[in-house]
Amino acid sequence: MTMETLATIWFVLIIVLWMGYLFLDGFDLGVGMLMPLFSRDERQKRVLLNSIGPVWDGNEVWLVTAAGATFAAFPHWYASLFSALYVPLTLCLLALIFRAVAIEYRGKGHTPAWRSFWTWAMALGSLGIAFFVGALLAITSTGLPLNEYGDMVGGAFAWIGWPALLGGLGGVGFALVHGLLYLGLKTEGPMRAKARRWALRAMLPASVPFLIWFWLAGLTRFWLLAVVAVSVVFLTASVRAVRAGAEKRAFTFHVIYLVTGLSAVFAAVYPVILPSTLNPAHSLTVTSASSSEYTLGVMFVVTVIFLPIIIGYQIFSYRMFLGRLRETHIPEAHRLPVAIRS
């Protein structure tokens, strides 16, 4: 394979990794955001937490993999993007830490103040992750003020603008709805019905930022408007599936809506992978920002061997925890005897 072909393959693979992260960790983030709002009952909150407990840390690995693959395959893209977005990415890292610590620590105390603190830490951490990841992807497709050396000019906050806000709000909206659809799949009884009601109310308003982003991308090339139209069709189908009580179809269609929309966005900018808003000549492309042909080739061989194994294991883990949860599955909170705790 030629250098350009390998670089293109890795650009597509990295976008697929970001899609996989939004698809998988998106519902974790949505459930996290819902923790303080969906119910005031402690047992129901524990149902929410247990619904994502077996899978959230595995889902988060997709984020690490996406960042690592970007560093290895496109070091110039990684350097320009991550140095320019140092502030929001640091805030995103703090949000990741708060979310992870909250999941582990919430059950370690028994006072209402303790639980409330970690509940809100999880909610705000999840919201921050969804916002900053959405903002990063939007900025990647719309560009930054880069000079001829790939450095951002204008200070540490030059990234702030309507693309970051649009992508951030879109990420939060998508994760929130995705979390509700996931709860429709994983819970039973009143919580399942409530998740369905909330999803019906939230789906269309929460999708507006991403739909605007997709539509603006579609305007760059006529055939991409057809791809965006397909995305809208699947979003509409997801709404209808929720209304009909078909949670699996609703969840699947919501994923396809995301995949088709993001495909249109990044197809619109290709072969550019990070546009410069100062001068198009300063934009990074798949060939100018990539590693050597040898590096890309070795990475491709390793990926072909190990990626199916990883995906197979993750599918297996999801099948192991396929059942629905209801409040009666959650035991009463209790303290362990001192002898056991020690």
Side-chain angles (χ1 to χ4, degrees), residues 9-340:
I9 289 172
W10 271 104
F11 174 65
V12 172
L13 286 174
I14 288 170
I15 300 305
V16 169
L17 288 172
W18 283 111
M19 290 177 182
Y21 175 71
L22 286 176
F23 157 42
L24 293 172
D25 207 34
F27 62 75
D28 292 341
L29 301 177
V31 172
M33 285 187 275
L34 289 167
M35 280 288 290
L37 306 173
F38 195 72
S39 174
R40 298 183 182 277
D41 180 77
E42 174 59 22
R43 182 170 284 185
Q44 289 190 356
K45 292 185 188 303
R46 290 170 64 197
V47 170
L48 297 186
L49 197 56
N50 277 270
S51 71
I52 63 172
V55 297
W56 73 269
D57 48 354
N59 294 339
E60 199 173 84
V61 170
W62 285 75
L63 176 64
V64 179
T65 306
T70 304
F71 171 76
F74 298 99
H76 300 295
W77 184 16
Y78 179 93
S80 295
L81 185 64
F82 279 62
S83 61
L85 302 182
Y86 186 83
V87 172
L89 288 176
T90 300
L91 294 174
C92 186
L93 179 61
L94 291 174
L96 284 162
I97 293 171
F98 263 91
R99 194 270 292 260
V101 173
I103 292 174
E104 300 294 338
Y105 273 43
R106 189 181 183 277
K108 305 301 182 184
H110 299 278
T111 65
W114 176 274
R115 289 172 176 165
S116 177
F117 175 82
W118 290 114
T119 295
W120 280 102
M122 183 176 176
L124 296 176
S126 299
L127 186 147
I129 298 165
F131 182 89
F132 289 119
V133 169
L136 179 147
L137 292 176
I139 290 170
T140 300
S141 67
T142 56
L144 288 165
L146 301 178
N147 61 21
E148 64 272 23
Y149 304 108
D151 298 324
M152 185 177 72
V153 300
F157 297 96
W159 56 272
I160 296 178
W162 69 263
L165 181 62
L166 194 68
L169 292 176
V172 170
F174 174 83
L176 189 64
V177 172
H178 212 46
L180 288 168
L181 296 177
Y182 178 74
L183 289 177
L185 280 173
K186 287 295 293 180
T187 59
E188 193 60 88
M191 295 188 70
R192 178 182 179 185
K194 188 174 183 179
R196 176 186 168 192
R197 291 196 306 271
W198 281 37
L200 277 174
R201 295 170 187 166
M203 283 188 79
L204 293 180
S207 303
V208 168
F210 265 5
L211 288 175
I212 294 174
W213 182 30
F214 299 164
W215 178 73
L216 290 174
L219 291 177
T220 60
R221 300 175 193 174
F222 179 77
W223 66 271
L224 288 176
L225 286 175
V227 181
V228 176
V230 171
S231 179
V232 174
V233 168
F234 275 102
L235 176 63
T236 306
S238 182
V239 174
R240 296 184 65 179
V242 173
R243 190 173 289 117
E247 289 98 348
K248 288 183 180 179
R249 276 192 290 138
F251 188 82
T252 302
F253 291 158
H254 198 242
V255 172
I256 298 175
Y257 142 74
L258 173 76
V259 170
T260 51
L262 287 182
S263 297
V265 167
F266 289 102
V269 297
Y270 177 84
V272 173
I273 57 177
L274 185 59
S276 170
T277 57
L278 295 180
N279 187 339
H282 302 160
S283 299
L284 301 181
T285 66
V286 291
T287 52
S288 68
S290 69
S291 293
S292 67
E293 183 176 351
Y294 176 78
T295 301
L296 296 177
V298 171
M299 289 174 60
F300 180 73
V301 172
V302 172
T303 301
V304 168
I305 295 172
F306 288 102
L307 186 60
I309 298 174
I310 295 170
I311 293 175
Y313 172 77
Q314 195 151 24
I315 292 173
F316 170 77
S317 66
Y318 272 92
R319 290 186 65 85
M320 289 293 293
F321 300 97
L322 201 59
R324 291 180 179 270
L325 290 170
R326 60 188 311 145
E327 294 172 60
T328 54
H329 294 154
I330 306 299
E332 291 287 348
H334 57 281
R335 295 177 181 270
L336 293 174
V338 175
I340 297 178

